[in-house]
Amino acid sequence: MTTTSSYFRLKSLKIKNYKNIKDFDIDFSNKQGVTVLIGNNGCGKSNIIEAMSSIFAGLYRKNLHTPDFCYAIKYEINGSTVDLSWDKTSYKVKIDNDSSNLDKLSRDYLPKNIVACYSGENKRLWETYYEPYYKKYISSIKKSESIPNLPMIYINRYNIEISLITLFFYDFDTFEDIKEFCHSTLKIKKVTEIIFTFRISKINEWQENNVLQMVKNISGVKQISELTPNVSISLDSLRSRLSYMSEKELFKTLYAATMPKKDKIITDIVLKLELNNGDHIVASDLSEGENKLLLMTTILESVADENSLLLFDEPDAHIHVCRKVELKNYFEKYANRESVITTHSPTLAVKFEEQHIEGICLDENGHSSKIDGQKAKLIAELTNEMWNIQEQNLFLASNKPIILLVEGKTDKIHIEEAFKRLKKSYSDVNFDVFAMNGSEHIREVLIGLNSSDICWNKKIIGIFDNDKAGQRDIANGFEKENVNDKIRHVKCGDREPSKNFFAFLLPNSERSIKDFTIENCYDAQKYEEAYKTAVEKKSGYFGQLSIDKIADDIKNDSKIILAENAKKFSDNDFEKFKEIFDIVKEIAKI
């Protein structure tokens, strides 16, 4: 969609002294409506979402919230540029470079609403920034004939039913994309029945207004006194009785009637659904991933508009890896909304162009920081043919004290799975793992990192296969560490060896296997089973391929199959990995 001056567009943001954010800034000018904050858990991504909620909560109503940190924010709205700052004592406001005041800002130059989508159990975001507005909102609705605009909207799993009703309220003949989402993505053929439960005692507290009119229409009564606590209705009847409402009005009115707990007048909604395969379920049976997609689609389509700011905290959590590309497509489709997304998933981040990505990490003091430009440039040079920009950012954003570099993707899977099973024995060891696509690349990266003058403040360890290639590459550029004969460090000439960059060969204590790879850490029977499965998969294709191609395919397939099978192995099957983690633990002490 083409951006016009009527859209709300963030331009820049500076935050000082909010939780672990000490001095942080983001340039949004080239994000084109979609900003993806990527970084590991604990690096402060969610704190940025919270800080943005705090900023606008304080601007909509100063008496409801005052930010306890300093900030400066710049954005465009209705063709004008707003530049404002808060130093914890006073605001400075400029509109189109002219000094202004908060009254004018609040009246004409704030986004229509902030919409936060959060699916976790932590209630802090809701209780601190959104609930005070909701209480004020409900209080005003009870005494009003119409529903006012709610500036701070919080959407979570408790809004699943009203989101699904809203999407099925659309005319599918006109809105084919909504039909496609409901039928193909959610695999819901139709809504067969909707059961509403009303809290009659609460309804008596409300004046006659849009919410009460909706309740009466759903129930098919003319007077509130005629209401019964439970009403069962078909989707077609609901559409007919509420035909005067748009989809956005429907969501807004249902939202007003169903939150929060102590005020809601619709206490429960049960949606009975028929799936494409003929199965019958209720909406609460949908998976976490389906719920995430449902909420996100409803927000983008039915809740927000061009003057909204949307804050999505890890929208890809619980979503199957193949569906993560769908998220990117949704955000691109609704690029006329301003969306800020957090994720720690390179799978999602890789779907977006580089301009949309903002890497977040922790600095040496544990404060949120943008990826260091010097480090980013060096990593890009060293890994350009192996890693894309998102993988580089994930490496740079790691807040673990140790990073392991392994030869292949299956090595990474095996080590991570083994550590899960053996972690109790290594509670003082903590690392991230990155695949380098070959022993020569581990060597190049470690030597390249050591050659720079950049301080890394963590240990980066290369783990080489104990085969001909690994032995060759570790011999060319590494020398033995005095503390442990198995541990090597990067050769430094006359300089003191670095205490940051190390390497070792996979330990082959039994010496019975000439070329020892990660797969040899399991009992041989495990690899044999994977190999047999790979051969069976290739059966029938031998006449179409060369013998070398067949051999390579079977080897690669068997490695992938073993990595997948490893997730089902018993803890005892990972005993040999202890030799790897013992060496990592030893290096951690150096």
Side-chain angles (χ1 to χ4, degrees):
M1 295 184 182
T2 306
T3 303
T4 71
S5 59
S6 65
Y7 296 170
F8 172 80
R9 278 288 184 257
L10 289 167
K11 304 302 289 182
S12 63
L13 172 65
K14 294 182 180 181
I15 303 169
K16 286 191 175 183
N17 298 320
Y18 179 74
K19 297 188 176 180
N20 69 342
I21 303 173
K22 296 304 173 188
D23 195 349
F24 190 89
D25 66 275
I26 302 178
D27 181 2
F28 294 95
S29 57
N30 67 339
K31 305 295 188 190
Q32 297 181 342
V34 180
T35 303
V36 181
L37 305 176
I38 182 172
N40 286 334
N41 290 333
C43 71
K45 306 183 303 295
S46 295
N47 288 343
I48 295 170
I49 295 288
E50 285 190 21
M52 296 176 81
S53 297
S54 177
I55 287 168
F56 285 100
L59 292 172
Y60 286 122
R61 279 182 182 267
K62 297 190 295 294
N63 61 326
L64 287 184
H65 179 76
T66 302
D68 60 355
F69 59 94
C70 302
Y71 71 83
I73 190 168
K74 188 174 183 179
Y75 58 84
E76 291 181 358
I77 188 168
N78 298 327
S80 293
T81 300
V82 175
D83 199 337
L84 68 98
S85 61
W86 163 251
D87 62 7
K88 294 175 68 172
T89 58
S90 61
Y91 285 97
K92 289 183 180 178
V93 182
K94 283 188 176 180
I95 299 174
D96 292 329
N97 290 321
D98 293 330
S99 296
S100 189
N101 55 57
L102 279 183
D103 289 338
K104 185 177 181 181
L105 182 76
S106 300
R107 187 174 63 249
D108 300 315
Y109 296 97
L110 285 177
K112 177 182 175 183
N113 46 44
I114 311 301
V115 185
C117 185
Y118 184 74
S119 62
E121 293 299 324
N122 195 319
K123 296 180 180 178
R124 182 182 63 244
L125 189 66
W126 158 255
E127 291 174 348
T128 307
Y129 309 114
Y130 293 84
E131 187 178 23
Y133 282 85
Y134 194 89
K135 287 179 177 177
K136 201 80 177 174
Y137 172 70
I138 291 297
S139 177
S140 63
I141 289 177
K142 287 180 178 180
K143 304 169 186 175
S144 172
E145 292 185 3
S146 60
I147 302 178
N149 177 57
L150 175 59
M152 302 288 292
I153 302 176
Y154 186 85
I155 305 291
N156 67 359
R157 58 192 175 88
Y158 295 110
N159 306 123
I160 294 299
E161 282 76 13
I162 68 171
S163 296
L164 204 51
I165 290 172
T166 301
L167 293 188
F168 271 90
F169 203 73
Y170 280 85
D171 180 355
F172 284 174
D173 290 335
T174 303
F175 295 91
E176 292 187 0
D177 51 345
I178 303 297
K179 175 183 177 180
E180 176 73 13
F181 174 78
C182 293
H183 288 346
S184 299
T185 302
L186 298 182
K187 297 181 172 56
I188 300 173
K189 182 178 180 181
K190 61 182 178 180
V191 176
T192 58
E193 184 183 7
I194 309 172
I195 303 171
F196 291 92
T197 301
F198 303 111
R199 185 183 288 168
I200 306 295
S201 60
K202 280 291 178 183
I203 291 176
N204 294 328
E205 298 176 7
W206 290 55
Q207 299 293 322
E208 187 72 30
N209 60 20
N210 291 357
V211 177
L212 289 194
Q213 187 60 53
M214 177 192 70
V215 169
K216 288 192 294 184
N217 287 342
I218 289 172
S219 302
V221 301
K222 293 185 177 180
Q223 302 296 328
I224 292 296
S225 59
E226 300 172 18
L227 282 175
T228 57
N230 297 291
V231 170
S232 172
I233 188 173
S234 69
L235 179 65
D236 287 342
S237 294
L238 186 73
R239 283 197 184 118
S240 174
R241 293 179 185 183
L242 301 181
S243 59
Y244 60 93
M245 282 187 174
S246 68
E247 294 79 17
K248 285 181 180 288
E249 288 170 333
L250 174 65
F251 183 90
K252 184 164 71 170
T253 312
L254 285 171
Y255 186 85
T258 54
M259 286 183 64
K261 185 175 181 180
K262 72 182 189 68
D263 285 313
K264 59 185 177 182
I265 57 177
I266 298 178
T267 58
D268 191 32
I269 303 175
V270 176
L271 261 71
K272 295 185 178 182
L273 312 171
E274 182 181 340
L275 302 183
N276 295 344
N277 64 4
D279 287 349
H280 291 265
I281 65 169
V282 293
S284 57
D285 292 331
L286 293 172
S287 70
E288 282 290 326
E290 289 166 333
N291 287 342
K292 280 289 186 74
L293 291 170
L294 169 59
L295 292 178
M296 194 187 73
T297 302
T298 306
I299 289 169
L300 291 168
E301 178 68 40
S302 310
V303 181
D305 64 19
E306 294 88 343
N307 277 312
S308 301
L309 170 60
L310 312 182
L311 307 175
F312 293 94
D313 193 54
E314 300 201 357
D316 56 315
H318 306 293
I319 289 180
H320 192 276
V321 63
C322 13
R323 280 192 163 174
K324 296 201 179 193
V325 67
E326 294 178 26
L327 292 181
K328 183 242 188 187
N329 295 337
Y330 287 138
F331 286 114
E332 284 187 342
K333 176 185 172 185
Y334 295 96
N336 60 345
R337 280 88 163 114
E338 182 73 28
S339 299
V340 179
I341 307 154
T342 72
T343 184
H344 62 266
S345 166
T347 310
L348 175 61
V350 74
K351 306 300 181 184
F352 291 91
E353 299 297 324
E354 181 180 342
Q355 69 195 52
H356 297 294
I357 305 297
E358 200 72 46
I360 313 294
C361 63
L362 291 178
D363 64 18
E364 58 272 19
N365 299 312
H367 300 152
S368 292
S369 174
K370 286 187 359 180
I371 298 298
D372 179 271
Q374 260 190 307
K375 289 183 178 181
K377 184 178 178 183
L378 178 60
I379 291 297
E381 290 171 355
L382 293 173
T383 68
N384 187 39
E385 294 183 6
M386 295 174 287
W387 292 350
N388 55 45
I389 186 69
Q390 289 78 19
E391 290 169 313
Q392 293 166 17
N393 275 342
L394 202 65
F395 174 88
L396 292 163
S398 173
N399 55 4
K400 303 290 178 65
I402 297 172
I403 287 178
L404 304 182
L405 304 181
V406 297
E407 292 196 17
K409 291 180 180 178
T410 53
D411 299 61
K412 171 181 164 70
I413 294 169
H414 290 303
I415 285 178
E416 289 178 336
E417 186 63 32
F419 193 65
K420 270 195 239 173
R421 309 302 189 90
L422 303 171
K423 194 168 184 178
K424 287 182 182 177
S425 302
Y426 299 93
S427 56
D428 52 347
V429 176
N430 198 6
F431 56 76
D432 280 325
V433 189
F434 292 86
M436 304 301 299
N437 193 27
S439 61
E440 71 278 13
H441 291 139
I442 297 178
R443 176 185 170 277
E444 290 167 4
V445 168
L446 284 173
I447 292 174
L449 293 175
N450 185 69
S451 301
S452 74
D453 295 323
I454 298 172
C455 178
W456 291 88
N457 295 311
K458 63 180 65 193
K459 288 182 165 62
I460 302 176
I461 305 170
I463 303 178
F464 291 83
D465 285 351
N466 204 336
D467 58 7
K468 189 174 180 179
Q471 292 161 9
R472 178 199 65 217
D473 287 319
I474 203 169
N476 185 14
F478 299 86
E479 54 193 8
K480 290 183 179 179
E481 170 69 38
N482 293 329
V483 234
N484 186 320
D485 191 51
K486 295 177 181 178
I487 300 171
R488 315 286 183 98
H489 56 68
V490 181
K491 287 181 181 177
C492 300
D494 297 332
R495 287 190 301 161
E496 186 73 19
S498 169
K499 298 302 180 185
N500 294 101
F501 309 108
F502 296 87
F504 64 88
L505 291 166
L506 284 173
N508 183 10
S509 54
E510 296 176 8
R511 310 228 176 242
S512 57
I513 300 172
K514 183 179 178 182
D515 289 323
F516 192 95
T517 64
I518 197 77
E519 291 80 13
N520 297 119
C521 291
Y522 299 105
D523 184 86
Q525 182 186 356
K526 301 293 186 186
Y527 186 70
E528 186 176 343
E529 289 170 357
Y531 187 84
K532 286 178 179 177
T533 304
V535 172
E536 288 171 8
K537 282 178 63 180
K538 215 66 185 172
S539 178
Y541 294 93
F542 279 50
Q544 305 168 25
L545 301 167
S546 70
I547 193 166
D548 289 338
K549 173 65 173 167
I550 291 167
D552 286 342
D553 285 353
I554 289 173
K555 181 182 75 171
N556 293 331
D557 286 348
S558 63
K559 286 188 173 188
I560 293 168
I561 291 165
L562 181 64
E564 190 60 34
N565 289 349
K567 297 172 185 176
K568 303 170 188 173
F569 291 169
S570 71
D571 291 355
N572 291 334
D573 290 322
F574 295 91
E575 280 296 307
K576 285 186 182 178
F577 284 86
K578 285 184 176 178
E579 294 183 61
I580 297 173
F581 300 136
D582 285 341
I583 298 175
V584 172
K585 186 174 182 177
E586 190 66 37
I587 293 174
K589 295 175 181 176
I590 296 174

